[in-house]
Short mmCIF file of all heavy atoms in Angstrom, two decimals:
data_model
loop_
_atom_site.label_atom_id
_atom_site.label_comp_id
_atom_site.label_asym_id
_atom_site.label_seq_id
_atom_site.Cartn_x
_atom_site.Cartn_y
_atom_site.Cartn_z
N LEU A 27 57.94 9.96 175.91
CA LEU A 27 58.43 8.59 176.08
C LEU A 27 59.89 8.45 175.66
O LEU A 27 60.33 9.07 174.70
CB LEU A 27 57.58 7.61 175.26
CG LEU A 27 56.08 7.60 175.55
CD1 LEU A 27 55.38 6.58 174.65
CD2 LEU A 27 55.80 7.29 177.02
N LYS A 69 55.15 -11.95 186.97
CA LYS A 69 55.22 -12.64 188.25
C LYS A 69 56.65 -12.72 188.78
O LYS A 69 56.93 -12.38 189.94
CB LYS A 69 54.64 -14.05 188.11
CG LYS A 69 54.74 -14.89 189.38
CD LYS A 69 54.19 -16.29 189.15
CE LYS A 69 54.34 -17.16 190.40
NZ LYS A 69 53.84 -18.53 190.18
N ASP A 74 56.02 -3.59 189.16
CA ASP A 74 54.82 -2.95 189.69
C ASP A 74 54.55 -1.59 189.05
O ASP A 74 53.79 -0.77 189.58
CB ASP A 74 54.90 -2.80 191.21
CG ASP A 74 56.10 -1.96 191.66
OD1 ASP A 74 56.88 -1.51 190.79
OD2 ASP A 74 56.25 -1.76 192.88
N TYR A 105 48.84 4.28 165.07
CA TYR A 105 49.39 5.28 165.98
C TYR A 105 48.28 5.88 166.84
O TYR A 105 48.50 6.21 168.01
CB TYR A 105 50.12 6.37 165.20
CG TYR A 105 50.85 7.37 166.07
CD1 TYR A 105 51.81 6.94 167.00
CD2 TYR A 105 50.60 8.73 165.97
CE1 TYR A 105 52.48 7.84 167.80
CE2 TYR A 105 51.28 9.65 166.78
CZ TYR A 105 52.22 9.20 167.68
OH TYR A 105 52.89 10.09 168.48
N GLN A 107 45.60 4.30 167.95
CA GLN A 107 45.36 3.35 169.04
C GLN A 107 46.48 3.41 170.08
O GLN A 107 46.22 3.33 171.28
CB GLN A 107 45.24 1.94 168.47
CG GLN A 107 43.97 1.68 167.67
CD GLN A 107 44.01 0.32 167.00
OE1 GLN A 107 44.91 0.03 166.21
NE2 GLN A 107 43.03 -0.51 167.31
N PHE A 133 48.37 18.02 197.25
CA PHE A 133 48.81 18.14 195.86
C PHE A 133 48.94 16.73 195.28
O PHE A 133 49.48 15.82 195.94
CB PHE A 133 50.15 18.86 195.76
CG PHE A 133 50.05 20.35 195.83
CD1 PHE A 133 50.16 21.01 197.04
CD2 PHE A 133 49.83 21.09 194.68
CE1 PHE A 133 50.06 22.39 197.11
CE2 PHE A 133 49.73 22.47 194.75
CZ PHE A 133 49.85 23.12 195.96
N TYR A 150 33.76 12.12 197.87
CA TYR A 150 34.01 10.76 198.34
C TYR A 150 35.24 10.19 197.64
O TYR A 150 35.70 10.72 196.62
CB TYR A 150 32.80 9.84 198.14
CG TYR A 150 32.38 9.62 196.70
CD1 TYR A 150 32.97 8.62 195.92
CD2 TYR A 150 31.37 10.39 196.13
CE1 TYR A 150 32.57 8.42 194.61
CE2 TYR A 150 30.97 10.20 194.81
CZ TYR A 150 31.58 9.21 194.06
OH TYR A 150 31.19 9.00 192.75
N LYS A 163 34.72 18.43 192.91
CA LYS A 163 33.71 19.29 192.29
C LYS A 163 33.92 19.41 190.79
O LYS A 163 32.97 19.35 190.01
CB LYS A 163 33.75 20.69 192.93
CG LYS A 163 33.17 20.76 194.32
CD LYS A 163 33.18 22.19 194.84
CE LYS A 163 32.54 22.30 196.20
NZ LYS A 163 32.56 23.70 196.72
N PHE A 231 22.35 13.52 215.76
CA PHE A 231 20.94 13.19 215.62
C PHE A 231 20.12 14.10 216.53
O PHE A 231 20.58 14.48 217.63
CB PHE A 231 20.67 11.72 216.00
CG PHE A 231 21.26 10.73 215.05
CD1 PHE A 231 22.49 10.17 215.30
CD2 PHE A 231 20.56 10.36 213.91
CE1 PHE A 231 23.05 9.24 214.43
CE2 PHE A 231 21.10 9.44 213.03
CZ PHE A 231 22.34 8.88 213.28
#
Side-chain angles (χ1 to χ4, degrees):
L27 303 180
K69 177 182 177 181
D74 60 359
Y105 187 56
Q107 289 173 302
F133 279 92
Y150 63 85
K163 286 183 177 179
F231 292 96

